[in-house]
Amino acid sequence: MKKLMATGVVPGVREQGRQVFPLAALQALRTRPAAALTVLGTPEIAVLRSDAPARVEEPDREWIGFGTALDQAQLLAALSGWWRCDPARVAAGAVLPVTVAGFVVAVLTGLTEWESDGTAGTTARYRFPKARLAGYLRDLTAPANAATPTDPQDARLAELLLGTRLASVSGGPIAYVPTRPTTTDQLDTEGE
């Protein structure tokens, strides 16, 4: 809840004095559907697990993280890179949902090219300079794309993913999520 509150994506949250998370917002979030990943056509996608925006002093961006106070250009720069990841694996998914507390709040596409920070081995960080912000939310309780993508495929992906729940587990900001249920997942679902 604290991450959702810090990003500004839930309206009506009061952080002054006693923190208040509106009941209507909580109820709306509880009913958000899971992301329908099976239609993506790839075996897995990468997921960027974001935090609230934080200022940085870097030549190509002022912020890292997701927040509704950032404009579209700031948000794209804040989300498009310098992560430890397997860049070919990220690009193979063709879409990068950005989540905060397990909810998709933004969608990046155009991940076909990447740059390295020049560090060797597992500490190397990568960014995707051609990434496009296909969509992002200003209000998670009433998801509507705040971007206006010109590419129809970008618009479709944003519509499919924005506002959905997308669980991922990782020790860092990038997680890899299978798009098809595993046999164990199918057994769990069938047993319910």
Side-chain angles (χ1 to χ4, degrees):
M1 290 300 194
K2 287 184 180 191
K3 280 187 179 185
L4 290 173
M5 293 170 76
T7 62
V9 78
V10 178
V13 168
R14 190 179 74 213
E15 293 191 65
Q16 309 270 332
R18 202 173 89 186
Q19 293 181 332
V20 176
F21 198 96
L23 178 60
L26 186 60
Q27 291 170 332
L29 296 181
R30 199 182 95 212
T31 62
R32 299 303 314 146
L37 301 180
T38 58
V39 301
L40 294 177
T42 60
E44 75 175 1
I45 58 169
V47 174
L48 175 57
R49 299 156 27 96
S50 187
D51 208 339
R55 274 214 177 268
V56 293
E57 292 186 26
E58 296 178 5
D60 57 346
R61 62 184 178 177
E62 299 174 51
W63 299 93
I64 57 171
F66 177 86
T68 59
L70 301 179
D71 66 34
Q72 191 165 336
Q74 289 172 320
L75 197 53
L76 177 59
L79 299 173
S80 61
W82 300 128
W83 324 294
R84 285 188 203 138
C85 65
D86 178 340
R89 199 170 167 190
V90 172
V95 63
L96 183 67
V98 178
T99 63
V100 171
F103 293 95
V104 179
V105 295
V107 176
L108 294 174
T109 59
L111 307 165
T112 56
E113 296 179 23
W114 56 86
E115 297 173 353
S116 170
D117 68 355
T119 309
T122 58
T123 60
R125 295 176 186 268
Y126 298 90
R127 79 177 185 122
F128 295 81
K130 304 279 184 178
R132 296 184 304 273
L133 189 58
Y136 66 100
L137 298 178
R138 296 247 181 246
D139 179 350
L140 183 58
T141 63
N145 193 349
T148 50
T150 56
D151 182 286
Q153 177 68 358
D154 285 2
R156 185 186 77 78
L157 289 169
E159 183 179 340
L160 175 72
L161 295 168
L162 285 173
T164 62
R165 290 180 292 116
L166 180 53
S168 60
V169 178
S170 173
I174 297 289
Y176 301 96
V177 176
T179 59
R180 309 258 184 306
T182 63
T183 305
T184 306
D185 293 338
Q186 289 172 338
L187 291 174
D188 290 344
T189 305
E190 291 168 3
E192 291 179 351

